[in-house]
């Protein structure tokens, strides 16, 4: 199951495949899930793209106050007044920035959810393997005891 989690992280981040194949931890504890989520977020191409788009949208914000409609000075003035008051293109930019921030948060939540599923599945498989090993040890002890009873 550890290989499934590694595969998930490698699919999320091809760049991470070259740096390290070892996970810092693999338990369903909050600190471990936080660390794995942090690594997945750092390596995610989609989140990187969303961050770049957000930075660009924030940097280009002042251009929304300027109108390209130079044909009619009255509509240009009204559009400028609307933008200064917080409506028009400025409002649309703010809405698009909030939508990008929401998309980023949803993507991080989806990554975290998937990591929790994989870590929980790993913990379950590990517990099942431990139960199987104990059952095998008990069976071997019973066989050895039966063998001793048979010989005596």
């Amino acid at each position: 199951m550890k290989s499934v989690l590694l595969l998930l992280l490698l699919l999320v981040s091809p760049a991470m495949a070259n740096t390290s194949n070892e996970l810092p931890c693999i338990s369903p504890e909050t600190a471990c899930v936080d660390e794995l989520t942090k690594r997945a977020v750092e390596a995610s191409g989609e989140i990187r793209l969303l961050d770049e788009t957000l930075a660009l949208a924030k940097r280009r914000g002042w251009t929304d106050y300027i109108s390209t409609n130079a044909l009619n000075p009255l509509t240009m003035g009204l559009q400028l007044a609307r933008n200064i008051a917080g409506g028009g293109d400025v409002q649309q930019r703010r809405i698009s920035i909030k939508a990008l921030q929401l998309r980023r948060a949803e993507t991080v939540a989806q990554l975290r959810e998937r990591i929790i599923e994989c870590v929980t599945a790993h913990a379950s498989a590990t517990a099942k393997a431990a139960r199987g090993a104990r059952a095998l040890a008990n069976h071997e002890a019973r066989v050895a005891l039966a063998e001793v009873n048979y010989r005596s």
Side-chain angles (χ1 to χ4, degrees):
M1 193 50 67
K2 187 174 182 177
S3 61
V4 171
L5 189 57
L6 270 173
L7 180 64
L8 171 69
L9 287 174
L10 294 177
L11 287 176
V12 169
S13 63
M16 193 172 159
N18 298 333
T19 59
S20 170
N21 279 342
E22 286 301 314
L23 296 174
C25 58
I26 187 154
S27 68
E29 297 172 1
T30 305
C32 180
V33 171
D34 289 343
E35 177 64 27
L36 292 173
T37 303
K38 180 181 154 202
R39 280 187 168 204
V41 166
E42 288 172 354
S44 173
E46 183 178 359
I47 291 180
R48 192 175 310 116
L49 180 65
L50 286 169
D51 287 342
E52 290 171 4
T53 307
L54 275 167
L56 179 65
K58 288 178 181 178
R59 189 172 52 234
R60 294 182 63 202
W62 67 271
T63 60
D64 289 334
Y65 290 99
I66 302 169
S67 174
T68 57
N69 187 5
L71 297 177
N72 188 352
L74 181 61
T75 55
M76 186 173 123
L78 288 173
Q79 188 174 12
L80 183 61
R82 210 175 21 208
N83 287 335
I84 289 173
D89 294 337
V90 172
Q91 184 180 25
Q92 289 300 318
R93 182 184 55 84
R94 288 181 184 150
I95 290 171
S96 66
I97 287 174
K98 294 297 182 188
L100 286 170
Q101 289 172 338
L102 180 63
R103 171 79 188 271
R104 186 186 188 284
E106 288 172 347
T107 304
V108 170
Q110 288 172 353
L111 280 174
R112 183 177 177 83
E113 196 174 299
R114 181 74 174 131
I115 287 171
I116 289 171
E117 287 173 7
C118 289
V119 168
T120 305
H122 176 268
S124 174
T126 302
K128 187 175 182 179
R131 284 192 307 270
R134 284 193 306 271
L136 178 63
N138 288 341
H139 177 69
E140 288 173 346
R142 286 181 183 169
V143 167
L145 184 61
E147 189 177 308
V148 168
N149 283 339
Y150 179 73
R151 291 185 185 200
S152 48

